[in-house]
Amino acid sequence: THRTPFAPPPKNLRGLFAGSGSIAMSDPHMAQAVLSLLPRHHPRHDDPNEDVNLLYLGTATYDLERFKRKQTRRFEEMGCRIRSLDVANG
């Protein structure tokens, strides 16, 4: 019998993956690319001031405040509300 190793991903799954989080996520173009992944029906597409909630999931040293700030600063500048789920450093 033929087995499928993985179920197909949900149709609404979107992601942007960067090799170096610290460098990539501090780039304003990368932040804009992430926000462009919002569904077309999201109010942000019509009103750039519409709230966007971003969950920052840092790991290892990226949970530390200075690294977290470096990676989320561009989103904050774009008006996003940042929340974090610290998994390595509480």
Side-chain angles (χ1 to χ4, degrees):
T1 63
H2 182 296
R3 290 186 172 188
T4 304
F6 302 104
K11 292 181 180 177
N12 61 353
L13 180 65
R14 295 175 175 89
L16 189 136
F17 306 94
S20 172
S22 189
I23 293 170
M25 298 313 289
S26 62
D27 183 321
H29 296 98
M30 187 68 78
Q32 186 58 51
V34 169
L35 293 179
S36 75
L37 296 173
L38 288 169
R40 294 198 187 280
H41 66 273
H42 191 280
R44 177 92 176 200
H45 286 287
D46 298 324
D47 181 1
N49 295 315
E50 181 65 33
D51 283 346
V52 170
N53 294 304
L54 183 131
L55 176 64
Y56 175 76
L57 181 62
T59 57
T61 58
Y62 293 124
D63 273 357
L64 298 173
E65 191 60 37
R66 68 183 179 142
F67 295 110
K68 184 186 319 183
R69 177 78 180 119
K70 183 177 182 180
Q71 291 192 21
T72 60
R73 182 183 66 223
R74 300 298 180 185
F75 294 98
E76 202 167 35
E77 290 170 356
M78 295 173 145
C80 297
R81 185 179 324 152
I82 311 297
R83 295 197 176 159
S84 65
L85 177 60
D86 297 338
V87 295
N89 299 295

